[in-house]
Amino acid sequence: MWTTNPILGFDTETTGIDPAADRLVTCSVIVVDGEKVTKHYWLADPGVEIPLQAQNVHGISTEQARREGRPIREVLEEVAQLLADHMALGYPVVAFNASYDLTLIESELARHGLPTLEERLEREIGPVVDPYMLDRSVDRYRRGQRRLENLAQHYGVAQEDAFHNAEADVLATLRVLGAMLRRFPELAEESWDALMERQSRAYAEFINFIASRNRAKGKSFNEPIGWPVAKATH
């Protein structure tokens, strides 16, 4: 069962909401290997202004990033190599709404002339576990929002979480995943191919729903799409 392997939780905070264009500000990685928990945290100087709207979400100003942050290329290299080394062993990277964070990392690596995760792995990215997509796959018709804080409440693992703090979000994501596996133990028994396909299908269904809703409202939908990395436009 894949749940017996080391699990790496991963989250980013950034300059905006477009993973193909915006920049990394903070990143948290937490590796759980049995009872051993190892935490990594980075604050980067993204090299651009951090918009006020983003500052209001994660609390990092342009001035703080420039004063305390490390050079973005150094941070990206360390983050990418840690993720790639973990996945190369066949161990899962866990991220809530993984398509955002992994697309951002791949875009940033390419932007700064560094090898992407796919290039480091010499294959497609994976294995990836995305509790957001898993929840959509096992409980397709549940009403209500499915943000991380909503799922923490739904699965009974909410604590006094400081959401939109990278480390706090990773911890909450791992708790949600644990609760989900207890409620749906069949997920832990699936092969990686089946689990990746399950999440990819859930993502495609969600994107089709959003695109159809936009068309009904006379709006276009041209965002990058793809799971676990967005590569195309709808």
Side-chain angles (χ1 to χ4, degrees), residues 74-90:
E74 291 182 9
V75 171
L76 287 168
E77 176 60 34
E78 291 179 13
V79 171
Q81 199 57 50
L82 186 60
L83 295 177
D85 288 347
H86 188 82
M87 287 187 285
L89 295 172

Side-chain angles (χ1 to χ4, degrees), residues 110-209:
R111 182 178 296 116
H112 290 280
L114 296 168
T116 64
L117 291 173
E118 284 197 353
E119 290 168 343
R120 292 165 198 258
L121 291 167
E122 298 183 337
R123 59 173 173 80
E124 292 185 352
I125 291 174
V128 175
V129 177
D130 183 347
Y132 180 48
M133 290 304 151
L134 286 182
D135 180 64
R136 287 191 171 279
S137 77
V138 296
D139 200 352
R140 294 171 64 189
Y141 303 111
R142 187 176 77 248
R143 294 181 178 275
Q145 294 182 313
R146 299 185 192 236
R147 294 187 303 242
L148 179 55
E149 49 263 50
N150 304 128
L151 264 60
Q153 290 284 347
H154 176 73
Y155 286 100
V157 293
Q159 298 180 6
E160 294 183 3
D161 297 296
F163 291 108
H164 302 297
N165 167 286
E167 182 173 302
D169 282 0
V170 174
L171 291 170
T173 296
L174 294 175
R175 290 201 310 273
V176 167
L177 177 61
M180 193 177 298
L181 292 171
R182 289 190 292 273
R183 188 173 300 187
F184 303 101
E186 64 272 16
L187 294 174
E189 299 172 3
E190 290 193 358
S191 69
W192 278 127
D193 286 346
L195 200 67
M196 293 288 282
E197 176 62 24
R198 169 193 288 274
Q199 295 172 100
S200 184
R201 280 199 312 270
Y203 177 87
E205 289 180 3
F206 176 60
I207 290 298
N208 288 335
F209 166 74

Side-chain angles (χ1 to χ4, degrees), residues 6 20-21 80 110 152 159 210 225 230:
Q159 298 180 6
I210 296 297
I225 61 171

Side-chain angles (χ1 to χ4, degrees), residues 43-55:
L43 169 60
D45 176 0
V48 299
E49 294 283 331
I50 301 174
L52 181 59
Q53 186 174 5
Q55 293 181 40

